[in-house]
Every structure is written in structure tokens, then in C-alpha cells.
Amino acid sequence: MTTHSRIARKLALGALIGATLVTAGCASRGGDGPKDTAYVARDVETLYAEAKGRLDRNQPQLAAALFDEVERQHPYSPWARRAQLMSAFSYYVARDYNKSVASAQRFLSIHPGNKDAPYAYYLIALSYYEQISDVQRDQKVTEQALTALRELDRRFPQTEYAADARLKIDLVRDHLAGKEMEIGRYYERSGKWIAAQIRFQNVVENYQTTSHAPEALYRLTETSLALGIPQEAVKYAAVLGANYPGSEWYDKAYELVQDHAAGVTAS
């Protein structure tokens, strides 16, 4: 997902690059070979400005290497702290998300109370969020994104980063619920009714505010009838009707109960 990558770039540029000192005589070198990265000792201002210039010219991978070199060559300079976070941002722009996470986590391990810590947490969350794939694939990274977004909201609830995180949390939860539904439907098609019910119940219990909850209740109605427990089917249909009375899933559940469990009362 890349919904908010432009926001991330704007925030980082405004908060970090905009504050950068650009010194006279720090013109960038030509070419993209090893001589541009970091193998020649340079004063910290020139090296940092070179990295910034590469980022401005849409060469984020090279910029990240140069920001890393600022810290390597000048570890005790005030520029090193700024370069650590700019390295994380540059890797994020380059879509090298693992390195972005590693750089941001390194920044936090060294400067946990820094004023830019919220942004470092935000970069970590975004790096996981951008990797979320469709529901047919493993959802480990989706879980990592959810954990990181929640951690950001917990630590810095009043920041603009947390406000964006809360929006993304809802989307991630809907995605995870979709994965549960996809697995549940597979089990249902295979006649594995109990396994299917476990997945659908997980959606109802843990993702009840997502868009998948009405269908999950309908599927529980179906699987309960398949398991020969019409009382449970009536119960799920009733819950569906109480919470989603205008839903197509309630209409289908009502017809199903009328056809197969008429006269049965919920247990």
C-alpha cells in the first residue's frame, strides 16, 4: 500500500531537510559510482549536503548511503543524529523497507527521548504498512504494521503521526479480517465446518467493527446449519438482524433460517 507515502515525504522534508544547513562550497560531485558514496573522508557539512542533494535529485538509495557515512565518519557530530533519521527516510523513499526500519530503530536505541522520536516510530510503521499485500498471502507483515501503528499511537497520541496511524489501524484490521474470511470460506467449501466456524467467530469477536462482520455472521448461520445445530444458526441470524438489519447478508440469513430452521428458537 502506498496511500500516504506523499504525506511521509512532505513531513520528513518539512521537519528535517528544511532545517538543514547548506554551507557554501558544498557542491555535489558528478557520477553515481563508488566515489559518490562514502569512501573518501570529507568534512561533515559537505558530506551531509551531498546526501541531501542526492535525495533532492531523487537518488534516495545513494542519499541513504551518504547519510550513513556521515555517522560513520563523524559519529560524535551533531549532524550524525540528524543523518541517522534521514538515512531511515531515504531508505523508505527508495522502498528499501527493511533498512528503513533498521535505521529508524537504531536512531531510537541511541536517542529514545529525542524530539524526532515520534517520526522515527512513524517511519517504522509506514515501512511495514507499505508492504501489506493481498489477503491471499501470508499476513505476518500486516501484523507487524498493526503492532507498530498501535505503538506509535500509544506513545505519542497527540501527534499528527498518531492521527494518521489511527486511520491506518482501521484499514489494517479490515485487511486482517479479510484474511480470516478468506481462510474460513476455504474451509467451508472443503466441508470443514468447525475449522470454518473458528475463523468466522474470530472475525465476529475480534474484528466486529470491520466491513467483514456481517458476512461472518451469515457464514456462522450457514455452518451452524451444516453442523446440525439450528438453534445456533437462528442465534447468529438474530444477531445479524439486530446489528445489520438492512444488510444483504441478513436477507440471505433470514431466507436460510426460514428454509431450514423454521420454528426453531435460539438457545
Side-chain angles (χ1 to χ4, degrees):
M1 294 183 183
T2 56
T3 309
H4 291 279
S5 57
R6 292 194 304 274
I7 294 176
R9 186 177 182 85
K10 178 180 177 183
L11 290 172
L13 291 174
L16 300 170
I17 297 177
T20 301
L21 297 175
V22 181
T23 59
C26 61
S28 60
R29 303 185 176 195
D32 292 328
K35 64 182 180 180
D36 294 307
T37 54
Y39 308 110
V40 178
R42 283 173 271 186
D43 65 275
V44 67
E45 290 88 354
T46 299
L47 189 55
Y48 190 97
E50 174 80 2
K52 175 184 178 297
R54 293 295 177 175
L55 186 59
D56 289 344
R57 294 198 296 278
N58 198 31
Q59 297 174 317
Q61 198 77 37
L62 184 53
L66 287 164
F67 283 125
D68 287 342
E69 195 63 14
V70 170
E71 182 186 5
R72 191 183 74 83
Q73 290 191 21
H74 308 278
Y76 304 111
S77 166
W79 295 79
R81 181 179 65 248
R82 186 183 302 164
Q84 287 170 1
L85 197 52
M86 286 306 297
S87 170
F89 173 67
S90 299
Y91 282 126
Y92 170 78
V93 174
R95 298 184 180 180
D96 194 339
Y97 298 121
N98 290 338
K99 287 186 178 179
S100 180
V101 169
S103 293
Q105 288 176 337
R106 173 172 168 74
F107 174 85
L108 289 169
S109 69
I110 300 173
H111 314 289
N114 186 268
K115 64 181 179 61
D116 290 319
Y119 185 69
Y121 279 100
Y122 186 57
L123 274 178
I124 292 169
L126 282 181
S127 293
Y128 288 128
Y129 183 82
E130 296 288 354
Q131 297 179 77
I132 294 175
S133 58
D134 61 69
V135 297
Q136 277 74 38
R137 302 182 64 182
D138 178 72
Q139 297 301 301
K140 178 181 178 181
V141 73
T142 311
E143 295 282 2
Q144 290 174 311
L146 184 60
T147 298
L149 290 165
R150 284 173 168 167
E151 182 69 4
L152 170 60
D153 186 39
R154 184 184 71 82
R155 287 178 177 269
F156 310 102
Q158 303 306 315
T159 64
E160 59 191 323
Y161 309 121
D164 188 48
R166 286 190 288 273
L167 295 175
K168 286 181 168 61
I169 286 171
D170 289 340
L171 295 172
V172 172
R173 283 174 51 78
D174 199 81
H175 192 85
L176 289 170
K179 179 63 175 181
E180 288 295 288
M181 292 300 299
E182 193 269 336
I183 296 172
R185 286 191 292 265
Y186 169 78
Y187 283 140
E188 188 176 11
R189 289 193 300 270
S190 303
K192 299 176 180 178
W193 312 116
I194 294 178
Q197 280 215 326
I198 290 172
R199 297 293 180 163
F200 299 140
Q201 285 171 343
N202 187 36
V203 173
V204 171
E205 293 172 5
N206 298 311
Y207 303 102
Q208 64 267 36
T209 60
T210 70
S211 63
H212 299 281
E215 183 186 353
L217 286 165
Y218 169 73
R219 299 295 178 186
L220 285 167
T221 304
E222 276 189 329
T223 52
S224 293
L225 288 172
L227 286 167
I229 43 177
Q231 297 90 344
E232 288 294 295
V234 171
K235 180 188 73 175
Y236 287 123
V239 173
L240 181 52
N243 289 278
Y244 309 97
S247 166
E248 63 173 310
W249 296 110
Y250 173 62
D251 292 340
K252 294 176 69 173
Y254 179 82
E255 291 180 6
L256 201 61
V257 168
Q258 289 298 305
D259 291 342
H260 301 283
V264 175
T265 57
S267 58

